Amino acid sequence: MDVNTGSPTLVGEGFELRALVRPDADALLALLLQPGVARWWGAYDAGKVERDFFGQECAYTYLIIVDGEIAGVLQFHEVTDPDYKSAGIDITLGEVYQDRGLGTRALKRLIRYLIDERGHHRMTIDPATDNRRAIHTYEKVGFRTVGVMRDYERDITGAWHDGLLMDLLAREFGAE
Ligand SMILES: CC(C)(COP(=O)(O)OP(=O)(O)OC[C@H]1O[C@@H](n2cnc3c(N)ncnc32)[C@H](O)[C@@H]1OP(=O)(O)O)[C@@H](O)C(=O)NCCC(=O)NCCS
């Protein structure tokens, strides 16, 4: 069974987060191929969409829906060992939906769900160190820098680049 089956729709201000389903695969790939997304999320094809969004246990994917359109993707991966329980988050918005406050609002909505409904006390996120907009956005949401992970991920040019590990604790997350 698809790991996303059963994820509830989460309603936010001007958007909703809806679980990814298989018929979304082509539209998701089209979003990931936009240059302003691929620059930060790397190279995708249909096979990688299948592996990353449908084939991973404990990795759940939501689409960010605005006026019925797919505006972006939010994914979280759960560490289920009770002694290390946490949720790692990834986000991207389609080019025309960036820089409107949507990323901040969508992240806050997902984090509220992760805390209240899935019992998480710690969330992590790991932007590229040169993704200043993403880092600033995550700081607005409440994430703090833990440190630099050197040569953490390969970018679309094939080069390794550093990632910034950031975390946020439930007890520091304000009422939204
Ligand atoms: C990163 C992303 C999720 C942020 O969502 P968003 O809706 O665009 O962000 P918001 O509009 O909520 O906030 C953006 C903030 O960054 C600021 N900003 C924009 N460009 C910036 C830059 N080059 N350097 C620093 N800050 C920048 C904006 O001024 C705003 O801050 P403010 O509200 O204090 O003025 C979105 O831009 C995106 O998907 N980008 C492309 C893919 C990507 O980078 N994904 C993240 C991978 S970790």
Side-chain angles (χ1 to χ4, degrees), residues 36-37 40-41 90-94 97-105 107 125-128 131-134 136-138 140:
V37 173
W40 301 112
W41 266 46
D90 285 304
I91 182 170
T92 193
L93 302 178
Y97 294 95
Q98 297 170 9
D99 294 317
R100 299 185 190 176
L102 179 62
T104 301
R105 286 183 281 123
L107 282 166
I125 203 158
D126 52 10
N131 195 344
R132 305 309 307 171
R133 174 174 56 183
H136 179 72
T137 302
Y138 305 154
K140 277 199 300 178

Side-chain angles (χ1 to χ4, degrees), residues 9 50 53:
T9 296
E50 178 66 29
F53 295 97

